[in-house]
Amino acid sequence: MVPKRKKIAMYAAMIIITAIVVFPFLWMVLLSFKSSSEIMSNPLAMPKAFNLDNFKHALETLNFPQLYANTFVVCILSVVLELIITFCSSFVIARMEFKHPKAKSLLYGFLILGLSVSPFILLFPVYKINIFFGLRGKWALIFPYAASSISFNTLLLTAYLKQLPTEIDEAAVIDGCNIWQLMVKVILPMSKPVIATIVIFNVLYIWNEYPYASVMLKDVSDYTLSMGASFFKGNYTVDYGGIVASSLMIIVPELIFYGLFQKNIVEGMTAGAVKG
């Protein structure tokens, strides 16, 4: 039984944290109804009139259907590619026996080592690699996004696959499964919770990623959503109202996506954490 005072303190802390998290979004909503001059003169004041001029200007300036389509293509191809790579490597590390035990630890350490390197430090080397292989447009983003997510995906997948009983593999092999059938028909369906978590985290990362997109994309027809707000910044002027309105139109679908699948994140992150 939790003491009453402790319960009140917990609720108070939850309310404060929620307010801190929600305030920036609510502030952005208010700013989207204000002109650039109002935003600059008094950003914390309520808008003089709730008009949709900023949203109309954003829709006229940006080709949102194309931006959304490009982002979806990059997200889907990147996530599929990285899932294929990381599921296979994680299966090998977690479920198979190596002739030299240290080889498994070295392989796992090599893949996890990427977590200690910021992907933005690799921006210039990746740019040079793309030029060397002739990768342009969306493909100049798909491969770097997939590569930069391998370490995080391996960390989650390997931890999950290790906690699955080894008797499952033995029973499948006895029933006549080869290695590919074991992976695809037995282990893969059991890995849905952690795979859902990986998909959500990676989609959110790709949806918001800007530095790579700003460097790799040259053609406007290939621009993703994260590049949208940059259209409102010129050499000498900045349309703050347009930036806020376009950013809000980019963030809202992301919040809906996160809200619909937040249960999967919790399930995937806690799956296998407690063993019976």
Side-chain angles (χ1 to χ4, degrees):
M1 189 71 178
V2 181
K4 188 175 181 180
R5 288 184 179 179
K6 188 175 181 180
K7 186 180 292 187
I8 293 173
M10 290 171 59
Y11 279 115
M14 290 171 59
I15 292 171
I16 293 172
I17 293 171
T18 303
I20 293 172
V21 172
V22 173
F23 174 74
F25 178 74
L26 295 179
W27 190 22
M28 179 182 288
V29 173
L30 291 176
L31 290 177
S32 66
F33 295 107
K34 302 170 70 172
S35 64
S36 295
S37 58
E38 287 183 82
I39 293 174
M40 290 299 294
S41 60
N42 198 348
L44 294 176
M46 293 292 291
K48 295 178 180 179
F50 287 88
N51 59 68
L52 301 176
D53 291 344
N54 290 330
F55 293 97
K56 292 178 182 178
H57 181 49
L59 290 172
E60 292 170 355
T61 304
L62 301 178
N63 187 353
F64 272 100
Q66 187 177 58
L67 293 177
Y68 276 110
N70 292 339
T71 304
F72 279 125
V73 169
V74 172
C75 280
I76 291 171
L77 294 180
S78 299
V79 170
V80 170
L81 179 61
E82 66 193 43
L83 276 178
I84 292 173
I85 295 172
T86 52
F87 181 78
C88 291
S89 61
S90 299
F91 177 85
V92 170
I93 294 171
R95 312 297 294 179
M96 299 187 71
E97 294 295 330
F98 282 58
K99 184 176 181 181
H100 301 285
K102 289 186 178 180
K104 180 186 291 189
S105 300
L106 289 173
L107 177 60
Y108 180 70
F110 172 75
L111 293 174
I112 295 299
L113 189 63
L115 291 172
S116 63
V117 181
S118 171
F120 307 120
I121 296 176
L122 304 175
L123 189 57
F124 180 71
V126 170
Y127 176 74
K128 298 295 288 184
I129 291 172
N130 280 342
I131 292 177
F132 178 80
F133 286 104
L135 297 175
R136 297 181 178 87
K138 301 178 187 66
W139 291 106
L141 292 180
I142 291 169
F143 288 109
Y145 286 162
S148 61
S149 300
I150 287 176
S151 295
F152 175 75
N153 297 352
T154 300
L155 179 67
L156 291 184
L157 266 171
T158 304
Y160 180 84
L161 295 179
K162 280 183 177 180
Q163 60 87 34
L164 295 178
T166 55
E167 289 79 7
I168 296 173
D169 299 13
E170 297 169 359
V173 171
I174 291 173
D175 288 339
C177 285
N178 57 35
I179 189 68
W180 294 108
Q181 291 172 331
L182 174 63
M183 290 174 58
V184 176
K185 294 184 179 181
V186 180
I187 302 299
L188 183 60
M190 298 177 66
S191 305
K192 287 181 180 179
V194 70
I195 289 176
T197 301
I198 289 172
V199 169
I200 293 167
F201 272 112
N202 284 280
V203 167
L204 294 178
Y205 163 70
I206 294 170
W207 195 277
N208 293 310
E209 204 284 324
Y210 176 78
Y212 273 88
S214 64
V215 172
M216 306 300 175
L217 299 179
K218 303 300 180 183
D219 194 341
V220 176
S221 62
D222 292 321
Y223 278 9
T224 56
L225 281 169
S226 61
M227 295 288 292
S230 63
F231 279 77
F232 298 95
K233 183 179 180 300
N235 291 328
Y236 304 104
T237 59
V238 179
D239 183 0
Y240 293 103
I243 290 176
V244 175
S246 60
S247 299
L248 194 62
M249 296 171 70
I250 294 170
I251 290 173
V252 168
E254 182 181 2
L255 293 177
I256 295 173
F257 175 79
Y258 183 83
L260 291 174
F261 297 102
Q262 62 176 332
K263 182 179 178 182
N264 297 86
I265 296 177
V266 176
E267 290 179 353
M269 294 296 288
T270 58
V274 179
K275 295 183 179 181

